[in-house]
Amino acid sequence: MGNSIADSELILNADGSIYHLNILPEDISPTIITVGDPDRVAHVSKHFDRIEIKKQKREFVTHTGYIGKKRITVISTGIGTDNIDIVLNELDALVNIDFKTKTVKQKLRSLDIVRIGTTGSIQPEIQVDTFLMSEYAVGFDSLLHFYKSRHVQQQEIQQEIIKQTNWNKDKSVPYVVKYDEGLGKKLLSKKVQLGFTATNVGFYGPQSRKLRLDTQDPSLNNKLAAFKFKGLKITNLEMETAGIYGLSKLLGHKAVSMNCILANRAKGTFSKNPEAATEKLIQYTLDKIASIQ
């Protein structure tokens, strides 16, 4: 048995549930769907044949239920990789730490984690309302640098991004992580294209939106769109995928990010019916997950 984790590090609620998510180990399934918007949890779980668990604390809403014999958990993360740090670490604790002894279990479990999210394309040919699976993700936040993580980072790609964009040294060093190929193949079809997702640390300035504040690099989106390296090009912008990929790799979980393109930043267009487009991605992803043995 390993050393016990201090109460200040692994915080549990009075009912024994994990601190932020407010759920117990038995409340989640081996298959996890993450969504950013708490309201989107119900849009996913309405397709379940039955729902057995509904819990909420802050922005973290959790529903667990079944499609046929497949048990699935859907949980909202809120926006940004700071929240991903909470959700991924607490999900891992639920399956890999004994809450009674507060020790890491000898036999570790691996979760399948599928993000269903919305995103904006920076390539003109990627149309709104289409589906994109993130083969790679580059994080412009600093989350992964707080962990011993160099072994999961795609160092060569990172250096090329820094070089080709003339990356400002005052910003966090970009990190690049790949999806889980095995899980990705199970979710891929002709309806979904592979892409290289940029995970941003904010919605406005970090994604080159200008309202009243000037951005440090007004041409950043154009530089990202022009990036090319060994057949790769950056396709879309969002705010969670790189964090999910990085922590999943470090913790031994399998992760794939499914994106619905709602905006095309290159053309300045936005989906005419974003709710319907997102609903189609939810249905597609659930059908694929339910078919996995």
Side-chain angles (χ1 to χ4, degrees):
M1 183 176 293
N3 294 329
S4 178
I5 300 170
D7 291 345
S8 60
E9 311 306 290
L10 176 63
I11 306 170
L12 302 180
N13 298 311
D15 64 353
S17 62
I18 195 77
Y19 184 59
H20 295 93
L21 302 186
N22 197 39
I23 51 180
L24 298 161
E26 59 266 29
D27 291 339
I28 64 168
S29 76
T31 301
I32 309 287
I33 294 172
T34 70
V35 296
D37 184 355
D39 290 337
R40 194 174 296 149
V41 172
H43 290 297
V44 175
S45 67
K46 73 181 181 182
H47 297 285
F48 292 178
D49 295 322
R50 62 185 176 93
I51 301 172
E52 60 177 354
I53 292 164
K54 288 185 177 182
K55 292 187 176 181
Q56 178 176 3
K57 185 179 179 183
R58 303 187 189 188
E59 61 266 53
F60 308 113
V61 179
T62 303
H63 290 183
T64 296
Y66 288 84
I67 296 179
K69 295 182 179 180
K70 185 80 171 184
R71 192 171 189 242
I72 302 170
T73 294
V74 55
I75 186 167
S76 59
T77 64
I79 297 174
T81 56
D82 50 349
N83 275 15
I84 294 302
D85 183 59
I86 292 171
V87 174
L88 265 292
N89 274 290
E90 293 196 1
L91 285 174
D92 179 76
L94 286 163
V95 296
N96 289 321
I97 296 176
D98 185 320
F99 282 9
K100 291 182 179 179
T101 62
K102 288 201 170 182
T103 57
V104 177
K105 294 177 180 178
Q106 289 188 345
K107 186 176 181 180
L108 300 179
R109 291 174 56 193
S110 178
L111 299 169
D112 286 349
I113 299 171
V114 181
R115 173 187 177 270
I116 299 178
T118 57
T119 188
S121 166
I122 57 173
Q123 300 295 344
E125 71 274 13
I126 301 177
Q127 302 299 319
V128 296
D129 299 337
T130 57
F131 302 159
L132 182 145
M133 179 187 293
S134 306
E135 181 180 16
Y136 291 90
V138 53
F140 296 137
D141 60 307
S142 61
L143 175 60
L144 224 59
H145 299 309
F146 285 89
Y147 297 94
K148 293 181 179 179
S149 62
R150 286 181 63 85
H151 63 287
V152 303
Q153 297 177 33
Q154 303 284 326
Q155 298 286 337
E156 192 176 14
I157 303 174
Q158 293 169 194
Q159 292 306 313
E160 277 298 316
I161 290 173
I162 293 168
K163 177 182 175 181
Q164 292 187 32
T165 62
N166 191 25
W167 193 254
N168 185 284
K169 63 179 178 61
D170 292 331
K171 296 176 182 175
S172 176
V173 176
Y175 62 89
V176 177
V177 188
K178 194 174 184 181
Y179 74 156
D180 183 85
E181 291 186 58
L183 182 58
K185 288 178 180 177
K186 295 175 182 178
L187 301 177
L188 195 61
S189 76
K190 293 180 180 178
K191 295 181 180 180
V192 181
Q193 66 182 94
L194 290 174
F196 186 174
T197 297
T199 296
N200 296 270
V201 72
F203 184 77
Y204 289 97
Q207 295 188 38
S208 297
R209 288 184 172 92
K210 182 178 177 180
L211 300 183
R212 292 204 313 117
L213 297 176
D214 291 331
T215 57
Q216 179 272 326
D217 186 353
S219 61
L220 179 58
N221 276 9
N222 291 333
K223 291 177 181 178
L224 295 175
F227 172 82
K228 288 183 175 63
F229 180 66
K230 294 185 177 180
L232 290 174
K233 62 180 179 179
I234 297 172
T235 52
N236 62 301
L237 310 176
E238 51 78 78
M239 295 181 63
E240 289 88 34
T241 296
I244 293 173
Y245 282 9
L247 291 184
S248 293
K249 290 274 188 187
L250 291 176
L251 291 165
H253 304 299
K254 302 171 184 175
V256 167
S257 179
M258 305 290 291
N259 304 269
C260 183
I261 306 292
L262 293 188
N264 187 301
R265 300 291 300 282
K267 292 183 175 180
T269 57
F270 194 80
S271 173
K272 300 297 183 184
N273 195 335
E275 293 82 9
T278 306
E279 174 67 16
K280 287 180 180 178
L281 178 60
I282 290 170
Q283 291 178 323
Y284 171 88
T285 306
L286 284 174
D287 287 345
K288 286 291 187 181
I289 288 174
S291 68
I292 297 173
Q293 300 299 318

